[in-house]
Amino acid sequence: MAIVIMALTLITFTALGYLALEVQSLRASAKRQGELLQEATAERDKLDERIRKGQERTTELKKEVKENQAKLHATLGEIIIRLKTAETAVGIKDGRERAQKRLTKGKKPETES
């Protein structure tokens, strides 16, 4: 009977030793998983910050593009107005010249007598 008790004690302590090793291994694994999780979280936070900065820059660029479009539109409007004014001025000048020619065609040149 003593041998059975010794065998059961030996088996129990062997099982407890094995379980203790498994617990230690699981703790080390959990610690490593926690470290990996922290690294992944830090990397995700860095990427989130980059994305946020990229979105802010995109918003700024869109705003700049809209402002530049408005400036370009205004400049083109001014150019068109100046061009129309110049065309009108040239048209008036041409019209005066044509009218002057018509008037001079109807008159005979004066001869000195």
Side-chain angles (χ1 to χ4, degrees):
M1 178 94 166
I3 294 179
V4 172
I5 292 175
M6 286 177 63
L8 286 175
T9 305
L10 183 62
I11 291 171
T12 302
F13 282 123
T14 304
L16 286 175
Y18 175 76
L19 288 174
L21 287 174
E22 281 298 313
V23 167
Q24 186 179 6
S25 173
L26 288 173
R27 283 183 180 162
S29 177
K31 182 179 178 182
R32 181 66 185 140
Q33 291 298 321
E35 291 170 355
L36 290 173
L37 179 62
Q38 285 179 344
E39 289 175 12
T41 302
E43 188 66 28
R44 187 199 67 215
D45 291 344
K46 286 180 188 175
L47 290 173
D48 287 345
E49 183 66 19
R50 279 187 189 164
I51 289 170
R52 186 185 61 77
K53 286 182 180 179
Q55 288 173 338
E56 287 175 359
R57 183 64 183 141
T58 301
T59 302
E60 290 172 10
L61 288 173
K62 285 180 180 179
K63 183 180 175 183
E64 287 179 28
V65 166
K66 284 185 179 182
E67 288 173 0
N68 288 335
Q69 283 177 337
K71 288 177 185 176
L72 179 62
H73 185 73
T75 303
L76 288 175
E78 288 176 19
I79 290 171
I80 290 171
I81 289 169
R82 288 180 184 169
L83 184 61
K84 294 281 186 187
T85 303
E87 287 175 353
T88 303
V90 168
I92 292 171
K93 183 180 176 187
D94 287 346
R96 285 183 188 157
E97 289 175 354
R98 278 184 258 136
Q100 191 67 30
K101 284 181 184 177
R102 275 188 247 131
L103 286 175
T104 55
K105 275 187 180 179
K107 289 185 178 178
K108 293 188 178 182
E110 292 183 18
T111 54
E112 294 184 27
S113 354

